[in-house]
Amino acid sequence: MLHPVVELAECTVCESCVAVCPEVFRVSAAGGYIEVIELPAYPQERVAEAIRYCPERCITWEEG
């Protein structure tokens, strides 16, 4: 299964991904970084849109 991954070292926490796809991305409870919400499957079109809107290009798909 494909799942999205955020490269935290590159992420500026602009929250674009959260705005575009809140069912998959959120700001961590501790704050300061973006988390990928654990889901049985990820909406590929919505995640692809979040990837397009990420100004840092730090979201990718990984197999696993």
Coordinates of all heavy atoms in Angstrom, one line a residue:
M1 N 0.8 -1.2 0.0 CA 0.0 0.0 0.0 C 0.9 1.2 0.0 O 1.9 1.3 0.7 CB -0.9 0.0 1.2 CG -1.7 1.3 1.3 SD -2.8 1.3 2.8 CE -1.7 1.8 4.1
L2 N 0.5 2.2 -0.7 CA 1.2 3.5 -0.7 C 0.7 4.4 0.4 O -0.5 4.4 0.8 CB 0.9 4.3 -2.0 CG 1.5 3.7 -3.3 CD1 1.0 4.5 -4.5 CD2 3.0 3.8 -3.2
H3 N 1.6 5.1 1.1 CA 1.3 6.0 2.1 C 2.2 7.2 2.0 O 3.3 7.2 1.6 CB 1.4 5.4 3.5 CG 2.8 5.0 3.9 ND1 3.4 3.9 3.5 CD2 3.7 5.7 4.6 CE1 4.7 3.8 4.0 NE2 4.9 4.9 4.7
P4 N 1.6 8.4 2.3 CA 2.3 9.6 2.2 C 3.3 9.8 3.4 O 3.1 9.3 4.5 CB 1.3 10.7 2.3 CG 0.1 10.1 3.0 CD 0.2 8.6 2.7
V5 N 4.5 10.4 3.1 CA 5.5 10.7 4.0 C 5.9 12.1 3.9 O 6.1 12.7 2.8 CB 6.7 9.8 3.8 CG1 7.9 10.1 4.7 CG2 6.4 8.3 3.9
V6 N 6.1 12.8 5.1 CA 6.5 14.2 5.1 C 8.0 14.2 5.6 O 8.3 13.7 6.7 CB 5.7 15.0 6.1 CG1 6.2 16.4 6.2 CG2 4.2 15.0 5.7
E7 N 8.9 14.8 4.8 CA 10.3 14.9 5.2 C 10.4 16.1 6.1 O 10.3 17.2 5.7 CB 11.1 15.1 3.9 CG 12.6 15.3 4.2 CD 13.2 14.1 5.0 OE1 13.1 13.0 4.5 OE2 13.8 14.4 6.0
L8 N 10.4 15.8 7.4 CA 10.3 16.8 8.4 C 11.5 17.8 8.4 O 11.3 19.0 8.7 CB 10.2 16.2 9.8 CG 9.0 15.3 10.0 CD1 9.0 14.7 11.4 CD2 7.7 16.0 9.8
A9 N 12.6 17.4 8.0 CA 13.8 18.3 7.9 C 13.5 19.4 6.8 O 14.1 20.5 7.0 CB 15.1 17.5 7.6
E10 N 12.7 19.1 5.9 CA 12.4 20.1 4.8 C 11.2 20.9 5.0 O 11.0 21.9 4.5 CB 12.3 19.4 3.4 CG 13.6 18.6 3.1 CD 14.8 19.4 2.8 OE1 14.6 20.5 2.3 OE2 15.9 19.0 3.2
C11 N 10.3 20.4 5.9 CA 9.0 21.0 6.1 C 9.1 22.2 6.9 O 9.7 22.3 7.9 CB 8.1 19.9 6.8 SG 6.4 20.5 7.1
T12 N 8.3 23.3 6.5 CA 8.3 24.6 7.2 C 7.0 24.7 8.0 O 6.7 25.8 8.5 CB 8.5 25.7 6.2 OG1 7.4 25.7 5.2 CG2 9.8 25.7 5.5
V13 N 6.2 23.7 8.0 CA 4.9 23.7 8.7 C 4.0 24.8 8.2 O 3.4 25.5 9.0 CB 5.1 23.7 10.3 CG1 3.8 23.3 11.0 CG2 6.2 22.7 10.7
C14 N 4.0 25.0 6.9 CA 3.1 26.1 6.4 C 1.6 25.7 6.4 O 0.8 26.5 6.3 CB 3.5 26.4 4.9 SG 3.1 25.0 3.8
E15 N 1.4 24.4 6.7 CA 0.0 23.8 6.8 C -0.8 23.8 5.5 O -2.0 23.6 5.5 CB -0.8 24.5 7.9 CG -0.1 24.4 9.3 CD -0.9 24.9 10.4 OE1 -2.2 24.8 10.4 OE2 -0.3 25.5 11.4
S16 N -0.1 23.9 4.4 CA -0.8 23.8 3.1 C -1.5 22.4 2.9 O -2.6 22.3 2.5 CB 0.1 24.1 1.9 OG 0.5 25.4 1.9
C17 N -0.7 21.4 3.3 CA -1.2 20.0 3.2 C -2.4 19.8 4.1 O -3.4 19.2 3.7 CB -0.1 19.0 3.5 SG 0.6 19.2 5.2
V18 N -2.4 20.4 5.3 CA -3.5 20.3 6.2 C -4.8 21.0 5.6 O -5.9 20.5 5.7 CB -3.2 20.9 7.6 CG1 -4.4 20.9 8.5 CG2 -2.0 20.2 8.2
A19 N -4.6 22.2 5.0 CA -5.7 22.9 4.4 C -6.3 22.1 3.2 O -7.5 22.1 3.1 CB -5.2 24.3 3.9
V20 N -5.4 21.5 2.5 CA -5.9 20.8 1.3 C -6.5 19.4 1.6 O -7.4 18.9 1.0 CB -4.8 20.6 0.3 CG1 -5.1 19.7 -0.9 CG2 -4.4 22.0 -0.3
C21 N -5.9 18.7 2.6 CA -6.2 17.3 2.9 C -6.2 17.0 4.4 O -5.4 16.3 4.9 CB -5.2 16.4 2.1 SG -5.6 14.7 2.0
P22 N -7.1 17.6 5.2 CA -7.1 17.5 6.6 C -7.4 16.1 7.1 O -7.2 15.7 8.2 CB -8.2 18.5 7.1 CG -9.1 18.6 5.9 CD -8.2 18.5 4.7
E23 N -8.0 15.2 6.2 CA -8.3 13.9 6.6 C -7.0 13.0 6.6 O -7.0 11.9 7.2 CB -9.3 13.2 5.7 CG -8.9 13.1 4.2 CD -9.2 14.3 3.3 OE1 -9.3 15.4 3.9 OE2 -9.3 14.1 2.1
V24 N -5.9 13.5 6.1 CA -4.6 12.8 6.1 C -3.5 13.5 6.9 O -2.7 12.8 7.5 CB -4.1 12.6 4.6 CG1 -2.8 11.9 4.6 CG2 -5.2 11.7 3.9
F25 N -3.5 14.8 6.8 CA -2.4 15.6 7.5 C -2.9 16.4 8.6 O -4.0 17.0 8.5 CB -1.7 16.5 6.4 CG -1.2 15.8 5.2 CD1 -1.9 15.7 4.1 CD2 0.1 15.1 5.3 CE1 -1.4 15.1 3.0 CE2 0.6 14.5 4.2 CZ -0.1 14.4 3.0
R26 N -2.1 16.6 9.7 CA -2.4 17.4 10.8 C -1.2 18.0 11.4 O -0.1 17.4 11.3 CB -3.3 16.7 11.8 CG -2.5 15.6 12.5 CD -3.4 14.9 13.5 NE -2.7 13.7 14.0 CZ -3.3 12.6 14.4 NH1 -4.7 12.5 14.4 NH2 -2.7 11.6 14.9
V27 N -1.3 19.0 12.2 CA -0.2 19.5 13.0 C -0.2 18.7 14.2 O -1.2 18.4 14.8 CB -0.4 21.0 13.3 CG1 0.8 21.5 14.2 CG2 -0.4 21.9 12.1
S28 N 1.0 18.2 14.6 CA 1.1 17.3 15.8 C 0.6 18.0 17.1 O 0.6 19.2 17.2 CB 2.6 16.9 16.0 OG 3.3 18.0 16.5
A29 N 0.1 17.2 18.0 CA -0.4 17.7 19.3 C 0.7 18.4 20.0 O 0.4 19.4 20.7 CB -0.9 16.5 20.1
A30 N 2.0 18.0 19.9 CA 3.1 18.7 20.5 C 3.4 20.0 19.8 O 4.1 20.8 20.3 CB 4.3 17.8 20.5
G31 N 2.9 20.1 18.5 CA 3.2 21.3 17.7 C 4.5 21.2 17.0 O 5.4 20.4 17.4
G32 N 4.7 22.0 16.0 CA 6.0 22.1 15.4 C 6.2 21.2 14.2 O 7.3 21.4 13.5
Y33 N 5.4 20.3 13.9 CA 5.6 19.4 12.8 C 4.3 18.8 12.3 O 3.3 18.8 13.0 CB 6.7 18.3 13.0 CG 6.3 17.3 14.0 CD1 5.7 16.1 13.6 CD2 6.5 17.5 15.4 CE1 5.3 15.1 14.6 CE2 6.2 16.5 16.3 CZ 5.6 15.3 15.9 OH 5.2 14.4 16.8
I34 N 4.3 18.4 11.0 CA 3.1 17.8 10.4 C 3.2 16.3 10.6 O 4.2 15.7 10.4 CB 3.1 18.2 8.9 CG1 3.0 19.7 8.7 CG2 2.0 17.4 8.2 CD1 1.7 20.3 9.2
E35 N 2.0 15.7 10.9 CA 1.9 14.3 11.0 C 1.0 13.7 9.9 O 0.1 14.4 9.5 CB 1.2 13.9 12.3 CG 2.0 14.2 13.6 CD 1.2 13.8 14.8 OE1 0.0 14.0 14.9 OE2 1.8 13.2 15.7
V36 N 1.3 12.5 9.5 CA 0.4 11.8 8.6 C -0.5 10.9 9.5 O 0.0 10.2 10.3 CB 1.1 10.9 7.6 CG1 0.2 10.1 6.8 CG2 2.0 11.8 6.8
I37 N -1.8 11.1 9.4 CA -2.8 10.3 10.2 C -2.8 8.9 9.7 O -2.8 8.6 8.5 CB -4.2 11.0 10.1 CG1 -4.1 12.4 10.6 CG2 -5.2 10.1 10.8 CD1 -5.4 13.2 10.3
E38 N -2.7 7.9 10.6 CA -2.8 6.5 10.2 C -4.1 6.2 9.7 O -5.1 6.3 10.4 CB -2.5 5.7 11.5 CG -1.5 4.7 11.6 CD -0.4 4.5 10.6 OE1 0.5 5.2 10.6 OE2 -0.6 3.5 9.8
L39 N -4.2 5.7 8.5 CA -5.4 5.3 7.8 C -5.2 3.9 7.2 O -4.1 3.6 6.8 CB -5.9 6.3 6.8 CG -6.1 7.7 7.2 CD1 -6.3 8.6 6.0 CD2 -7.4 7.8 8.1
P40 N -6.3 3.2 7.0 CA -6.2 1.9 6.3 C -5.9 2.1 4.8 O -5.2 1.2 4.2 CB -7.6 1.2 6.5 CG -8.5 2.3 6.9 CD -7.7 3.4 7.5
A41 N -6.3 3.2 4.2 CA -6.0 3.5 2.8 C -6.0 5.1 2.7 O -6.7 5.7 3.5 CB -7.0 2.9 1.9
Y42 N -5.2 5.6 1.8 CA -5.1 7.0 1.7 C -5.8 7.5 0.3 O -5.6 6.8 -0.7 CB -3.6 7.5 1.7 CG -3.0 7.3 3.1 CD1 -2.4 6.1 3.4 CD2 -3.2 8.2 4.1 CE1 -1.8 5.8 4.6 CE2 -2.7 7.9 5.4 CZ -2.0 6.8 5.6 OH -1.5 6.6 6.9
P43 N -6.5 8.6 0.4 CA -7.2 9.1 -0.8 C -6.1 9.6 -1.8 O -5.6 10.7 -1.6 CB -8.1 10.2 -0.3 CG -7.5 10.6 1.0 CD -6.8 9.4 1.5
Q44 N -5.8 8.9 -2.8 CA -4.6 9.2 -3.7 C -4.8 10.6 -4.4 O -3.8 11.4 -4.4 CB -4.4 8.1 -4.7 CG -3.9 6.9 -4.0 CD -3.4 5.8 -5.0 OE1 -3.2 6.1 -6.1 NE2 -3.2 4.6 -4.5
E45 N -6.0 10.9 -4.8 CA -6.2 12.2 -5.5 C -6.0 13.4 -4.5 O -5.4 14.4 -4.9 CB -7.5 12.3 -6.2 CG -7.6 11.4 -7.4 CD -9.0 11.5 -8.1 OE1 -9.6 12.6 -8.0 OE2 -9.3 10.5 -8.8
R46 N -6.5 13.2 -3.3 CA -6.4 14.3 -2.3 C -5.0 14.5 -1.9 O -4.5 15.6 -1.7 CB -7.3 14.1 -1.2 CG -8.8 13.9 -1.5 CD -9.5 15.2 -1.6 NE -9.6 15.7 -0.3 CZ -9.7 17.0 0.0 NH1 -9.7 17.9 -1.0 NH2 -9.7 17.5 1.2
V47 N -4.3 13.4 -1.7 CA -2.8 13.5 -1.3 C -2.0 14.1 -2.4 O -1.1 14.9 -2.2 CB -2.3 12.1 -0.8 CG1 -0.8 12.2 -0.6 CG2 -3.0 11.6 0.5
A48 N -2.3 13.7 -3.6 CA -1.6 14.2 -4.8 C -1.8 15.7 -4.9 O -0.8 16.5 -5.2 CB -2.1 13.5 -6.1
E49 N -3.0 16.2 -4.5 CA -3.2 17.6 -4.5 C -2.4 18.3 -3.4 O -1.8 19.4 -3.6 CB -4.7 17.9 -4.3 CG -5.1 19.4 -4.4 CD -6.6 19.6 -4.2 OE1 -7.4 18.6 -4.0 OE2 -7.0 20.8 -4.3
A50 N -2.3 17.7 -2.2 CA -1.5 18.2 -1.2 C 0.0 18.3 -1.6 O 0.7 19.3 -1.3 CB -1.6 17.4 0.1
I51 N 0.4 17.2 -2.3 CA 1.8 17.2 -2.8 C 2.1 18.4 -3.7 O 3.1 19.1 -3.7 CB 2.1 15.9 -3.5 CG1 2.2 14.8 -2.4 CG2 3.4 15.9 -4.3 CD1 2.3 13.3 -2.9
R52 N 1.1 18.6 -4.6 CA 1.2 19.7 -5.6 C 1.3 21.1 -4.9 O 2.0 22.0 -5.3 CB 0.1 19.7 -6.6 CG 0.2 18.7 -7.7 CD -0.8 19.0 -8.8 NE -2.2 19.0 -8.4 CZ -2.9 17.9 -8.2 NH1 -2.4 16.7 -8.5 NH2 -4.2 18.0 -7.8
Y53 N 0.6 21.3 -3.8 CA 0.5 22.6 -3.1 C 1.6 22.8 -2.1 O 1.8 23.9 -1.6 CB -0.8 22.8 -2.4 CG -1.9 23.2 -3.4 CD1 -2.8 22.3 -3.9 CD2 -2.0 24.5 -3.8 CE1 -3.8 22.6 -4.8 CE2 -3.0 24.9 -4.7 CZ -3.9 24.0 -5.2 OH -4.9 24.3 -6.1
C54 N 2.4 21.7 -1.8 CA 3.5 21.9 -0.8 C 4.6 22.7 -1.4 O 5.3 22.3 -2.4 CB 4.0 20.5 -0.5 SG 5.4 20.6 0.7
P55 N 4.9 23.9 -0.8 CA 5.9 24.8 -1.4 C 7.3 24.2 -1.2 O 8.2 24.6 -2.0 CB 5.7 26.1 -0.6 CG 5.1 25.7 0.7 CD 4.2 24.5 0.3
E56 N 7.5 23.4 -0.2 CA 8.9 22.8 0.0 C 9.1 21.5 -0.7 O 10.2 20.9 -0.7 CB 9.1 22.6 1.5 CG 8.9 23.9 2.3 CD 9.8 25.0 1.9 OE1 10.9 24.7 1.4 OE2 9.3 26.1 2.0
R57 N 8.0 20.9 -1.3 CA 8.1 19.7 -2.1 C 8.7 18.6 -1.1 O 9.5 17.8 -1.5 CB 9.0 19.8 -3.3 CG 8.5 20.8 -4.3 CD 7.3 20.4 -4.9 NE 6.8 21.4 -5.9 CZ 5.6 22.0 -5.9 NH1 4.8 21.7 -5.0 NH2 5.3 22.9 -6.8
C58 N 8.1 18.5 0.1 CA 8.7 17.6 1.1 C 7.7 16.4 1.4 O 7.9 15.6 2.3 CB 9.0 18.3 2.4 SG 7.7 19.1 3.2
I59 N 6.6 16.3 0.6 CA 5.7 15.1 0.7 C 5.9 14.2 -0.4 O 5.9 14.6 -1.6 CB 4.2 15.6 0.8 CG1 4.0 16.7 1.9 CG2 3.3 14.4 1.0 CD1 2.7 17.4 1.8
T60 N 6.0 12.9 -0.1 CA 6.2 11.9 -1.1 C 5.4 10.7 -0.8 O 4.8 10.6 0.3 CB 7.7 11.4 -1.3 OG1 8.1 10.9 0.0 CG2 8.6 12.6 -1.7
W61 N 5.2 9.8 -1.8 CA 4.6 8.5 -1.6 C 5.7 7.5 -1.3 O 6.7 7.5 -1.9 CB 3.8 8.0 -2.8 CG 2.6 8.7 -3.1 CD1 2.3 9.7 -4.1 CD2 1.3 8.6 -2.4 NE1 1.0 10.1 -4.0 CE2 0.4 9.4 -3.0 CE3 0.9 7.8 -1.3 CZ2 -1.0 9.5 -2.6 CZ3 -0.4 7.9 -0.9 CH2 -1.3 8.7 -1.5
E62 N 5.4 6.5 -0.4 CA 6.3 5.4 -0.1 C 5.4 4.1 -0.1 O 4.3 4.2 0.3 CB 7.0 5.6 1.2 CG 8.1 6.5 1.2 CD 9.0 6.5 2.4 OE1 8.9 5.6 3.2 OE2 9.9 7.4 2.5
E63 N 6.0 3.1 -0.5 CA 5.4 1.7 -0.4 C 5.6 1.2 0.9 O 6.7 1.3 1.5 CB 6.0 0.8 -1.5 CG 5.4 -0.5 -1.7 CD 4.0 -0.4 -2.4 OE1 4.0 0.4 -3.4 OE2 3.1 -1.1 -2.1
G64 N 4.6 0.5 1.4 CA 4.8 -0.1 2.7 C 3.5 -0.4 3.5 O 2.5 0.0 3.3

